[in-house]
Amino acid sequence: MSLRRIKNYKKRADFVSKKTGVNLDQIKRAGELIEGEQVHCENLIGATLFPMGVAGPLKLEDLASKKVWKAYIPLATTEGALVASVNRGCRAVLKAGRVKVLVEKIGVTRAPVFKVKGLVQADKFRHYLEERFEHFKKITASTSSHLRLLRYDFSLHPPFCYVRFYFDPDQAMGMNMATIASQKIIEFIEKDSGVKCVSVSGNFCVDKKPSFLNFLYGRGFRVWAEAELSISICKEILKVRPEEIRKVWNAKNMAGSAFSGSLGFNAHFANIVAAFFAATGQDLAHTVEGSLGTTFAEVRGESLYFSISLPAVMVGVVGGGTKLKTKREAIEMTGAKTPEDLAKVLAGAVLSGELSLLASLVEGSLAKTHMKLGR
Amino acid sequence: MSLRRIKNYKKRADFVSKKTGVNLDQIKRAGELIEGEQVHCENLIGATLFPMGVAGPLKLEDLASKKVWKAYIPLATTEGALVASVNRGCRAVLKAGRVKVLVEKIGVTRAPVFKVKGLVQADKFRHYLEERFEHFKKITASTSSHLRLLRYDFSLHPPFCYVRFYFDPDQAMGMNMATIASQKIIEFIEKDSGVKCVSVSGNFCVDKKPSFLNFLYGRGFRVWAEAELSISICKEILKVRPEEIRKVWNAKNMAGSAFSGSLGFNAHFANIVAAFFAATGQDLAHTVEGSLGTTFAEVRGESLYFSISLPAVMVGVVGGGTKLKTKREAIEMTGAKTPEDLAKVLAGAVLSGELSLLASLVEGSLAKTHMKLGR
Amino acid sequence: MSLRRIKNYKKRADFVSKKTGVNLDQIKRAGELIEGEQVHCENLIGATLFPMGVAGPLKLEDLASKKVWKAYIPLATTEGALVASVNRGCRAVLKAGRVKVLVEKIGVTRAPVFKVKGLVQADKFRHYLEERFEHFKKITASTSSHLRLLRYDFSLHPPFCYVRFYFDPDQAMGMNMATIASQKIIEFIEKDSGVKCVSVSGNFCVDKKPSFLNFLYGRGFRVWAEAELSISICKEILKVRPEEIRKVWNAKNMAGSAFSGSLGFNAHFANIVAAFFAATGQDLAHTVEGSLGTTFAEVRGESLYFSISLPAVMVGVVGGGTKLKTKREAIEMTGAKTPEDLAKVLAGAVLSGELSLLASLVEGSLAKTHMKLGR
Amino acid sequence: MSLRRIKNYKKRADFVSKKTGVNLDQIKRAGELIEGEQVHCENLIGATLFPMGVAGPLKLEDLASKKVWKAYIPLATTEGALVASVNRGCRAVLKAGRVKVLVEKIGVTRAPVFKVKGLVQADKFRHYLEERFEHFKKITASTSSHLRLLRYDFSLHPPFCYVRFYFDPDQAMGMNMATIASQKIIEFIEKDSGVKCVSVSGNFCVDKKPSFLNFLYGRGFRVWAEAELSISICKEILKVRPEEIRKVWNAKNMAGSAFSGSLGFNAHFANIVAAFFAATGQDLAHTVEGSLGTTFAEVRGESLYFSISLPAVMVGVVGGGTKLKTKREAIEMTGAKTPEDLAKVLAGAVLSGELSLLASLVEGSLAKTHMKLGR
């Protein structure tokens, strides 16, 4: 009997218990808490738990809408010191005033790879795509009233043509919608042009792999955040002087990342992104591109100017994991009503967490904190 | 009143509810399930839930020990189709026989950055480190009976010296232990040599950022897995012919990754790594380096040869999230007693998931599956 | 007395001879051959010689203009086997018919970096640039009747704004013209907007450094070439079967490059680019981005399909080194009247050289050839 | 009649003239100057000329040997302003005293790719290589009394095994010697172990392609240089204040390179490397890895500390282009007797050229200089 055939999650867990001799009572018990919810997980045996902490609040100011709001930051993690660290950063940043945030909608991307005979056909195919673009938009709209095709990039390495479609998925993260629409567009293209598609994803999307393409072109949302902290706030809350933060930033985030061939010019974006995604029902694997990004530190007069950029934030407020009740509560806690807003909260959290860790590194307290909280 | 001052997680949740107007009952309720457990999360307000599915079993053969065992693969995810896909891969691979796995212990790394005056002092410092290495091992051992210093790399960009220490953390993932030991070594170095440390981490570790350093040198465990599938298994279970898998692999995993400036020459390692880490209590942010890796597909006679490499798997079976009961059950379900074994199970799961997705891409079923399971 | 003060190149050489005890007669003698020419080299002491060989001819077909012409390929090099190898490739390719080439004018790029106070000013600056773009075009035109501003990219990492201008420099390679125009635009921007420029080049150009930006976005010209060779041509001239070329390409150009963290998915583009640039008076340092690029090999029926892409070819037919008589003759020898044409000839040469080296690697003759020609 | 059949370079040039209608008199005339020399260039039609300038002197201090010498720097280029710029940097650096240099011999590398059946054979092969290493050293020594095998790296991506051999080629750059020795080792391995080699170069060398492997592991020589310049020297000769250099360095060399996905954290290493290689008979295509590298600028008190690192300098003083008389004179002019020394001179030149360009960017004089010298 195979796992798929068992229809009840507890019976499936029991089957695995029998096969492995391992008691799965806790997993089953946790499973009870999501019973009746819309769960996207096959071969279910129950659920697992992540402790959830909260950091904040932050006062965020969106530069486009001028909207200002206080956001609490939900973080699901099993790593000691993380929430405490982000929270300390938030306290410093809140005391300094508003975190300014700016967001740019890049769109969720999906890049089918087509195969042509050679350059002649590739050149024709390029023109074909231009001509048919409006029709591709219609096909997209026909797959979902919530999806719009924005534009595409074309990359030719004969005989392969990578066509990177950018979609606006409204309130969802939209990866699945983008795949479905791309598939429909492909079916049309294959019939209409005779050019064959090798794969609906040609790794030019780039989904869940670190890539310079996403780092440079962006994906989902590109979001920036900045704050300016007086020397007294730095000293009182972060226990450092602005110049010390700048020095660690320079040696570590810039030079260290450069010299190790890293894409990420930051200290630990991934910690905050992963914990925030786990809390708010995002796709955990999007931590990979979601944690790409850069930082900047500078002493201005006696103050510290600090900024961060996240080029590829894939988030949604409907669909996928956001349907789960614990995730929904976490999203609501942030005050975000849209994916854009969620990206802004994340940016504020990332900035706070980054500042706090850099400060810990200055004072040499990282090891001490881990001794206390991490073991 | 600040969040930190509240001592009870439910009261803290209520405080946030009051401030935000958001009901956090589900998070609190989930929190009850980890009450009494050793939780590493500050400012706790409860817990969040991840549905857990199971894939497998796989029959793994460790090439070093010749050990063979059947492993079930726990996957915690909110993304539809993932578990089903990995499971399909497992069925194909199991039918083909054993997944051969090979693992190399690289060690958990931590790389302080020191600042020297210039080349003269840098050159002396390099020799100093060589001379004192045995003493650093002793310092390491003094911080934990479970930690051994293995070796270090030295990278000079004057005036910065990055010293990448490699530790064997026994059964733990070991990042915190490595930080604590590094801090002790640094304190000794500063006093003994007069060279000052800028930061206990100089981003040459490289922790939780995508980097060519980890891709090339490895981190934690480097693990390989391979399988050979007959054409009949490919056709029956994966609905494709071996040559078709090879073609998608070539256009997508190799060419597409190359042409998009990606570090990951794979289709979706991150999906499996993130879900496996969430299930087994690993640090979610380690998905970043854990999902680096390469694949290879080749038609041999009528069969498909397929292999994967994961250069930077950071896992443990004690400490951190592995203490949580639901995580512990998941680890036990895999049959792994050691981090090495856990890395091997992950490798088998990654290979299976990769095969299955590539097959879906061949048949153009990805979109269809997402229509059915993903929404 | 300083070098700069000496007005005659032979006297300057004599001065150096006196200081170093080294006879510089050959350099002085070579210098006589460029006397009276327009030389762009300060502190002149004479000249140095590069042996020049010729490969070809190739029959090139430009897919846009349908123009077909036979091109001889001048190669200046001191490395044995290079010209012979390219020539062998040309023979194979010529026998197979035409090399199809396609070219895209990206434009010469220069990217000043501006510094703003923060996100508010950055956002305004972005809009300011859009509004003033037409004026920037006018400023550009005022600096040279041969230069047109095409477009720009904007990259924000607060407080830095990188503005990558794309220029069409007509018949020149145009780097200096682009710098001069950028400087004029900057002067206008600084006065008009109050935003200050940190540097006329912010390394976002990217000039003469390997970068994923150039690899993905292109620079100068992006050019593709392809050829299809029958099995009999492969066997007769290249001494290999198509499948063997494909295998070496796969293990070396694709997998080897991927696994070593390389930007160049090719065997030795740089050899041909450097020798061609040296022969035709291009800027030698542009070999860095000029040799970026990818290859593709596939067996079609019994034939070999082979293609190459060069994303960042910076070439000109007027200005700089192209004024020297030996360089001018070499340009004319190719039949190229424009930079586009020169890029196409280069692409054909690169394709030929690549094919020939891969063939040598198959037959294991590389070492033997170097034993004969290289020592 | 084919080009190869013609035995005399002037007749070959005449043949091309006839075919193309292009007069090649200047190329032929330049060819006369290398008549009788040992030329490594097939299908010779003559020679091409590069103007040669000189910069310097620099006072170099080698930190290992404590040797101090004055070096003149030969630069062959067709690009205006380059020699003048390097020379200005030299003047500033000379006035400041000594350029300290440190060199590490990495070795010339060649990395054959072998193909195994799978992990079992790969693991055996790894051990086999360890066991036979001493014999590989003997084989190496048998191919040349000037070549020593130092060590190797092993990289496994089943079924491919990349074996990166490091050789010490004595006074030569050694790429050809390394290839020949690798070929002999391969022949032995194939017979002795039964494992087949796919290609003597598997692009894991990495020869003449930009790669993070070379950037991190080094190739040929790794060399560092540093200088400290007082504020008065900066102001008098470079027309800038130390802090201004630091700011441009930060925005351009570090941030700009990081944000454009560049391997090279420098302003224009390639300019100096290419001109120096052209002057001294090095392989021009080695400019690609030779120009990889990083810079650092810092204000110390009132002075400017500046350093550079070049991780992959492939140079020799015998063999290849160094046999040509004009090249030989240029090498001698530097005072270098060994490849190490040549690498040190290059490092000093690169440091000087970098400083001077950064200063030009500060004062906004780059465009002006090009207006004067570049056109």
Side-chain angles (χ1 to χ4, degrees):
Chain A
M1 190 172 64
S2 93
L3 286 167
R4 299 175 301 155
R5 300 279 160 78
I6 307 169
K7 292 303 169 201
N8 174 287
Y9 79 90
K10 288 195 173 172
K11 287 194 179 149
R12 195 177 291 110
D14 292 342
F15 174 84
V16 175
S17 287
K18 206 173 136 194
K19 288 286 183 184
T20 59
V22 176
N23 184 315
L24 300 177
D25 285 354
Q26 300 295 326
I27 290 172
K28 284 191 292 184
R29 189 170 68 120
E32 291 170 8
L33 269 65
I34 52 170
E35 276 184 18
E37 296 201 51
Q38 209 181 330
V39 168
H40 300 294
C41 179
E42 303 80 39
N43 285 2
L44 201 71
I45 55 169
T48 192
L49 289 151
F50 274 82
M52 194 183 305
V54 63
L58 283 177
K59 196 183 280 178
L60 297 166
E61 177 185 356
D62 177 40
L63 291 183
S65 67
K66 307 297 172 200
K67 197 174 90 171
V68 178
W69 81 101
K70 272 200 179 181
Y72 281 87
I73 300 154
L75 297 166
T77 185
T78 58
E79 299 306 308
L82 178 58
V83 181
S85 179
V86 176
N87 196 50
R88 183 173 74 143
C90 288
R91 277 194 298 131
V93 166
L94 180 67
K95 188 150 190 182
R98 299 170 179 180
V99 176
K100 288 177 185 151
V101 290
L102 187 66
V103 73
E104 182 187 354
K105 179 177 276 190
I106 306 287
V108 54
T109 53
R110 184 50 96 193
V113 50
F114 294 87
K115 189 167 179 190
V116 292
K117 284 180 198 129
L119 282 171
V120 174
Q121 197 180 22
D123 202 33
K124 277 183 194 158
F125 189 49
R126 173 166 20 193
H127 292 114
Y128 168 83
L129 293 172
E130 282 171 25
E131 283 162 20
R132 285 291 192 272
F133 180 63
E134 287 305 315
H135 190 64
F136 301 159
K137 291 177 88 161
K138 280 180 200 156
I139 294 172
T140 301
S142 77
T143 64
S144 165
S145 59
H146 293 289
L147 196 70
R148 283 191 313 127
L149 176 58
L150 302 171
R151 59 194 178 88
Y152 68 93
D153 287 331
F154 182 83
S155 178
L156 170 60
H157 295 267
F160 296 131
C161 300
Y162 298 84
V163 186
R164 193 187 201 220
F165 292 116
Y166 295 74
F167 299 95
D168 178 345
D170 199 355
Q171 300 302 301
M173 174 268 279
M175 193 67 259
N176 292 345
M177 294 157 77
T179 303
I180 290 163
S182 296
Q183 183 65 34
K184 288 286 175 197
I185 296 173
I186 290 166
E187 285 164 15
F188 173 81
I189 289 175
E190 289 191 328
K191 272 183 207 148
D192 188 49
S193 74
V195 173
K196 291 294 166 205
C197 179
V198 182
S199 170
V200 67
S201 163
N203 272 18
F204 210 81
C205 311
V206 184
D207 194 39
K208 303 172 177 175
K209 273 88 61 184
S211 72
F212 284 96
L213 186 68
N214 286 345
F215 184 75
L216 293 167
Y217 288 69
R219 188 169 199 242
F221 296 98
R222 190 189 290 273
V223 58
W224 298 266
E226 72 180 2
E228 196 161 335
L229 290 79
S230 68
I231 187 167
S232 65
I233 291 174
C234 288
K235 284 164 80 170
E236 185 189 333
I237 301 178
L238 301 175
K239 315 295 179 199
V240 293
R241 285 176 296 112
E243 176 61 12
E244 291 171 322
I245 290 272
R246 194 200 64 79
K247 279 185 179 168
V248 170
W249 165 80
N250 187 37
K252 174 187 170 72
N253 285 20
M254 291 308 294
S257 289
F259 305 157
S260 57
S262 297
L263 276 85
F265 293 82
N266 62 74
H268 73 141
F269 281 14
N271 274 331
I272 299 110
V273 171
F276 189 80
F277 279 17
T280 61
Q282 309 305 318
D283 189 334
L284 288 180
H286 279 141
T287 300
V288 173
E289 63 260 60
S291 63
L292 292 173
T294 64
T295 53
F296 186 78
E298 185 174 65
V299 180
R300 293 188 175 174
E302 290 217 308
S303 298
L304 173 71
Y305 172 84
F306 196 79
S307 76
I308 63 121
S309 309
L310 293 165
V313 176
M314 296 280 287
V315 287
V317 295
V318 304
T322 68
K323 292 176 192 164
L324 292 170
K325 289 174 186 168
T326 50
K327 315 293 187 190
R328 184 126 300 282
E329 288 178 356
I331 292 175
E332 287 173 10
M333 184 197 307
T334 67
K337 309 287 185 207
T338 63
E340 282 90 334
D341 282 354
L342 208 59
K344 290 168 204 163
V345 175
L346 174 62
V350 162
L351 178 139
S352 304
E354 196 73 8
L355 264 178
S356 184
L357 177 56
L358 289 174
S360 297
L361 292 166
V362 168
E363 26 155 10
S365 72
L366 184 67
K368 280 163 219 154
T369 309
H370 278 296
M371 259 182 263
K372 212 175 70 185
L373 299 172
R375 285 185 142 169
Chain B
M1 191 171 62
S2 94
L3 288 166
R4 301 176 299 156
R5 301 278 160 80
I6 307 169
K7 292 304 169 199
N8 175 285
Y9 80 89
K10 287 194 174 174
K11 287 194 180 149
R12 195 180 291 110
D14 291 341
F15 174 84
V16 174
S17 286
K18 206 173 136 193
K19 289 285 185 184
T20 59
V22 176
N23 183 316
L24 301 177
D25 285 354
Q26 299 294 325
I27 290 171
K28 284 191 290 182
R29 189 169 69 120
E32 291 171 9
L33 269 66
I34 51 170
E35 278 185 17
E37 295 202 54
Q38 210 181 329
V39 168
H40 300 294
C41 179
E42 303 80 37
N43 285 1
L44 201 71
I45 54 170
T48 191
L49 290 151
F50 274 83
M52 193 183 305
V54 63
L58 282 177
K59 197 183 279 178
L60 296 166
E61 177 185 356
D62 176 40
L63 292 183
S65 67
K66 306 296 171 202
K67 197 175 90 171
V68 178
W69 80 100
K70 272 200 177 178
Y72 281 87
I73 299 154
L75 296 166
T77 184
T78 58
E79 299 305 308
L82 178 58
V83 181
S85 179
V86 176
N87 195 50
R88 183 173 74 141
C90 288
R91 278 194 298 133
V93 166
L94 180 67
K95 188 151 191 182
R98 297 170 179 179
V99 177
K100 287 178 185 150
V101 290
L102 187 65
V103 73
E104 182 188 355
K105 179 178 276 189
I106 306 287
V108 52
T109 53
R110 184 49 96 193
V113 50
F114 295 87
K115 188 166 180 192
V116 292
K117 283 181 200 127
L119 283 169
V120 174
Q121 197 181 21
D123 203 33
K124 278 183 194 157
F125 188 50
R126 172 160 31 185
H127 292 112
Y128 168 84
L129 293 172
E130 283 172 23
E131 283 161 20
R132 286 291 191 272
F133 180 63
E134 287 305 314
H135 189 64
F136 301 159
K137 291 176 88 161
K138 281 180 200 154
I139 293 172
T140 300
S142 78
T143 64
S144 165
S145 59
H146 293 288
L147 195 71
R148 283 191 314 124
L149 175 60
L150 302 170
R151 59 192 179 89
Y152 69 93
D153 286 332
F154 182 83
S155 179
L156 169 61
H157 295 268
F160 295 131
C161 300
Y162 298 83
V163 185
R164 193 186 199 221
F165 292 114
Y166 295 73
F167 299 94
D168 179 346
D170 199 356
Q171 300 302 300
M173 174 269 278
M175 193 67 258
N176 292 345
M177 294 158 77
T179 302
I180 290 162
S182 297
Q183 183 65 36
K184 288 284 175 201
I185 296 173
I186 289 167
E187 285 164 15
F188 174 81
I189 289 175
E190 290 192 328
K191 272 183 208 149
D192 188 48
S193 74
V195 173
K196 291 294 165 204
C197 179
V198 182
S199 169
V200 67
S201 163
N203 272 17
F204 210 82
C205 310
V206 183
D207 194 40
K208 305 173 177 173
K209 273 87 62 184
S211 72
F212 284 95
L213 186 69
N214 286 345
F215 185 76
L216 293 167
Y217 288 70
R219 186 167 201 244
F221 295 98
R222 190 189 290 274
V223 58
W224 298 268
E226 72 179 4
E228 196 161 334
L229 290 80
S230 69
I231 186 167
S232 65
I233 290 174
C234 287
K235 284 164 76 170
E236 187 190 331
I237 300 177
L238 300 177
K239 315 297 178 198
V240 294
R241 284 175 298 112
E243 175 62 12
E244 291 171 324
I245 290 272
R246 193 200 65 77
K247 279 186 180 166
V248 170
W249 166 80
N250 187 37
K252 173 187 170 72
N253 285 20
M254 291 308 294
S257 289
F259 305 157
S260 57
S262 297
L263 275 85
F265 293 82
N266 61 74
H268 73 141
F269 282 14
N271 273 331
I272 300 110
V273 171
F276 189 79
F277 278 17
T280 61
Q282 310 305 317
D283 189 334
L284 288 180
H286 279 141
T287 300
V288 174
E289 63 259 60
S291 64
L292 292 174
T294 64
T295 53
F296 185 79
E298 185 174 66
V299 180
R300 294 187 175 177
E302 289 217 307
S303 297
L304 173 71
Y305 171 84
F306 196 79
S307 76
I308 62 119
S309 310
L310 293 164
V313 176
M314 295 280 288
V315 287
V317 294
V318 304
T322 69
K323 294 175 191 165
L324 293 170
K325 289 173 184 168
T326 51
K327 315 292 186 188
R328 185 126 300 281
E329 288 178 357
I331 293 175
E332 288 174 10
M333 184 197 307
T334 68
K337 308 287 186 209
T338 62
E340 282 90 334
D341 282 354
L342 208 59
K344 290 167 203 164
V345 175
L346 174 62
V350 162
L351 179 139
S352 304
E354 195 73 6
L355 265 177
S356 184
L357 177 56
L358 290 174
S360 296
L361 292 167
V362 169
E363 26 156 9
S365 71
L366 184 66
K368 281 163 218 151
T369 309
H370 277 295
M371 259 182 261
K372 213 175 69 186
L373 299 172
R375 288 187 138 169
Chain C
M1 189 171 66
S2 95
L3 287 165
R4 298 176 300 156
R5 300 278 161 77
I6 306 168
K7 293 302 170 202
N8 175 286
Y9 81 89
K10 289 194 173 174
K11 288 196 177 145
R12 194 179 292 110
D14 291 342
F15 174 85
V16 175
S17 286
K18 207 174 137 193
K19 288 285 182 183
T20 60
V22 177
N23 183 316
L24 301 177
D25 285 354
Q26 299 295 326
I27 290 171
K28 284 192 290 185
R29 189 169 69 121
E32 290 171 7
L33 268 67
I34 51 170
E35 277 184 17
E37 295 202 52
Q38 208 181 331
V39 169
H40 300 295
C41 179
E42 304 81 36
N43 284 1
L44 201 72
I45 56 170
T48 191
L49 289 152
F50 274 82
M52 195 183 304
V54 62
L58 282 177
K59 195 183 282 179
L60 297 166
E61 177 185 355
D62 176 41
L63 292 184
S65 67
K66 307 296 172 202
K67 197 175 89 171
V68 178
W69 80 101
K70 272 199 178 180
Y72 282 88
I73 298 155
L75 297 165
T77 184
T78 58
E79 300 305 308
L82 178 58
V83 181
S85 179
V86 176
N87 195 51
R88 183 173 75 142
C90 288
R91 278 194 298 131
V93 166
L94 180 67
K95 188 148 191 183
R98 297 170 181 180
V99 177
K100 288 177 185 151
V101 290
L102 187 66
V103 74
E104 182 188 355
K105 178 178 278 191
I106 306 285
V108 54
T109 53
R110 184 50 96 192
V113 51
F114 294 87
K115 189 167 181 192
V116 291
K117 284 180 199 127
L119 282 171
V120 174
Q121 198 181 23
D123 201 34
K124 278 184 196 156
F125 189 50
R126 170 159 31 186
H127 292 113
Y128 167 84
L129 293 171
E130 282 172 24
E131 283 162 21
R132 286 290 192 271
F133 180 63
E134 286 306 315
H135 189 64
F136 301 159
K137 291 177 87 162
K138 281 182 199 154
I139 294 171
T140 301
S142 78
T143 64
S144 166
S145 59
H146 293 289
L147 196 70
R148 282 192 314 127
L149 175 59
L150 302 170
R151 60 193 177 88
Y152 69 92
D153 287 330
F154 181 83
S155 178
L156 170 60
H157 295 267
F160 296 132
C161 300
Y162 297 84
V163 185
R164 193 186 200 221
F165 292 115
Y166 295 75
F167 299 95
D168 178 347
D170 200 355
Q171 300 302 302
M173 173 269 278
M175 193 68 259
N176 292 345
M177 294 158 77
T179 303
I180 291 163
S182 297
Q183 184 64 36
K184 288 285 175 199
I185 295 173
I186 289 166
E187 286 164 13
F188 173 81
I189 288 175
E190 289 191 327
K191 271 184 211 150
D192 189 47
S193 74
V195 173
K196 292 294 165 205
C197 179
V198 182
S199 168
V200 66
S201 163
N203 271 19
F204 210 83
C205 313
V206 183
D207 194 40
K208 303 171 177 174
K209 273 88 62 184
S211 72
F212 284 95
L213 186 70
N214 286 344
F215 185 75
L216 293 167
Y217 288 70
R219 187 168 200 242
F221 295 98
R222 189 189 290 273
V223 60
W224 298 268
E226 72 180 2
E228 196 161 334
L229 290 79
S230 69
I231 187 167
S232 66
I233 290 174
C234 287
K235 284 163 79 169
E236 186 191 331
I237 301 177
L238 300 176
K239 314 295 179 200
V240 293
R241 285 176 296 112
E243 176 61 12
E244 292 171 323
I245 289 273
R246 194 199 65 79
K247 279 185 180 168
V248 169
W249 165 80
N250 187 37
K252 174 187 170 72
N253 286 18
M254 291 307 294
S257 289
F259 304 158
S260 57
S262 297
L263 275 86
F265 293 82
N266 62 73
H268 74 140
F269 281 15
N271 274 332
I272 298 110
V273 172
F276 190 78
F277 279 16
T280 61
Q282 309 306 317
D283 189 334
L284 288 180
H286 279 141
T287 300
V288 175
E289 64 259 61
S291 63
L292 292 174
T294 65
T295 53
F296 186 79
E298 185 175 65
V299 180
R300 294 187 176 176
E302 289 217 307
S303 296
L304 174 71
Y305 171 84
F306 197 79
S307 77
I308 62 120
S309 310
L310 293 164
V313 176
M314 295 279 289
V315 288
V317 295
V318 305
T322 69
K323 294 176 191 164
L324 292 169
K325 289 175 185 167
T326 50
K327 314 293 185 189
R328 183 125 303 282
E329 289 179 357
I331 293 174
E332 287 174 9
M333 183 196 309
T334 68
K337 308 286 184 209
T338 63
E340 282 91 332
D341 282 354
L342 208 59
K344 291 168 203 162
V345 175
L346 174 62
V350 162
L351 179 138
S352 304
E354 195 74 7
L355 264 178
S356 183
L357 177 56
L358 289 174
S360 297
L361 292 167
V362 169
E363 27 156 8
S365 72
L366 184 67
K368 280 163 218 152
T369 308
H370 278 295
M371 260 183 262
K372 212 175 69 186
L373 298 172
R375 287 185 140 169
Chain D
M1 190 171 65
S2 93
L3 287 166
R4 300 175 299 156
R5 302 278 162 76
I6 306 168
K7 292 302 169 200
N8 175 287
Y9 80 89
K10 288 195 173 172
K11 287 194 177 150
R12 194 179 291 109
D14 292 340
F15 174 84
V16 175
S17 287
K18 205 173 137 194
K19 289 284 184 185
T20 59
V22 176
N23 183 317
L24 300 177
D25 285 355
Q26 299 295 326
I27 291 171
K28 284 192 290 184
R29 189 169 70 119
E32 290 171 8
L33 269 66
I34 52 170
E35 276 185 17
E37 296 202 53
Q38 209 181 329
V39 168
H40 301 294
C41 178
E42 304 82 36
N43 285 0
L44 201 71
I45 56 170
T48 192
L49 289 151
F50 274 82
M52 195 183 303
V54 63
L58 282 177
K59 196 182 282 180
L60 297 165
E61 177 184 356
D62 177 39
L63 292 184
S65 68
K66 308 294 171 201
K67 198 176 91 171
V68 178
W69 81 100
K70 273 201 177 177
Y72 281 87
I73 299 154
L75 297 166
T77 184
T78 57
E79 300 305 310
L82 177 58
V83 181
S85 178
V86 176
N87 195 49
R88 182 173 74 141
C90 288
R91 278 194 296 131
V93 166
L94 180 66
K95 188 147 192 184
R98 297 170 180 181
V99 177
K100 288 178 184 149
V101 290
L102 186 66
V103 75
E104 182 188 355
K105 180 178 275 190
I106 306 285
V108 53
T109 54
R110 186 49 97 191
V113 50
F114 294 87
K115 189 167 179 191
V116 291
K117 283 179 198 127
L119 282 171
V120 174
Q121 198 180 22
D123 201 33
K124 278 184 194 156
F125 189 49
R126 169 157 36 183
H127 292 112
Y128 167 84
L129 293 171
E130 282 171 24
E131 283 162 19
R132 285 293 192 271
F133 180 63
E134 286 306 314
H135 189 65
F136 300 160
K137 291 176 87 161
K138 280 180 199 154
I139 293 172
T140 300
S142 78
T143 63
S144 166
S145 60
H146 293 288
L147 196 69
R148 283 190 316 125
L149 176 59
L150 302 170
R151 59 193 178 88
Y152 68 91
D153 287 330
F154 181 83
S155 178
L156 169 60
H157 295 268
F160 295 131
C161 301
Y162 298 83
V163 186
R164 193 186 200 221
F165 292 116
Y166 295 75
F167 299 94
D168 178 346
D170 201 354
Q171 300 302 302
M173 173 270 278
M175 193 67 259
N176 292 346
M177 294 158 77
T179 302
I180 291 162
S182 297
Q183 184 65 37
K184 287 286 176 199
I185 296 172
I186 290 166
E187 285 164 14
F188 174 81
I189 289 174
E190 288 191 328
K191 272 182 207 149
D192 189 47
S193 74
V195 173
K196 290 295 165 205
C197 178
V198 182
S199 169
V200 66
S201 163
N203 272 18
F204 209 82
C205 311
V206 182
D207 195 39
K208 303 172 179 173
K209 273 89 60 185
S211 73
F212 284 95
L213 186 70
N214 286 345
F215 184 75
L216 292 167
Y217 288 70
R219 187 168 200 243
F221 296 98
R222 190 190 291 274
V223 59
W224 298 268
E226 71 180 4
E228 196 161 333
L229 291 79
S230 68
I231 187 168
S232 65
I233 291 175
C234 287
K235 284 164 78 171
E236 185 190 334
I237 301 178
L238 300 176
K239 316 293 179 200
V240 293
R241 284 175 297 114
E243 176 61 12
E244 291 171 324
I245 290 272
R246 194 199 65 78
K247 280 185 180 167
V248 170
W249 165 79
N250 186 36
K252 174 186 169 74
N253 285 20
M254 292 307 295
S257 288
F259 305 157
S260 58
S262 297
L263 276 85
F265 293 82
N266 62 74
H268 74 139
F269 281 15
N271 273 332
I272 299 111
V273 171
F276 189 79
F277 279 16
T280 61
Q282 310 305 318
D283 189 334
L284 288 181
H286 279 142
T287 300
V288 174
E289 63 259 60
S291 62
L292 291 174
T294 64
T295 52
F296 185 78
E298 186 174 65
V299 180
R300 294 186 174 176
E302 289 217 308
S303 295
L304 174 71
Y305 172 84
F306 197 78
S307 77
I308 63 119
S309 309
L310 293 164
V313 175
M314 295 279 288
V315 288
V317 295
V318 305
T322 69
K323 294 175 189 165
L324 293 170
K325 289 174 185 168
T326 50
K327 314 292 186 191
R328 184 127 300 285
E329 289 178 355
I331 292 174
E332 288 173 8
M333 184 197 310
T334 67
K337 308 288 184 208
T338 62
E340 282 90 334
D341 282 353
L342 209 58
K344 290 168 204 163
V345 175
L346 174 62
V350 162
L351 179 138
S352 304
E354 195 74 8
L355 265 178
S356 183
L357 177 55
L358 289 175
S360 297
L361 292 167
V362 169
E363 28 156 8
S365 71
L366 184 67
K368 281 164 219 151
T369 309
H370 277 296
M371 259 183 262
K372 209 175 72 186
L373 298 172
R375 288 186 140 169

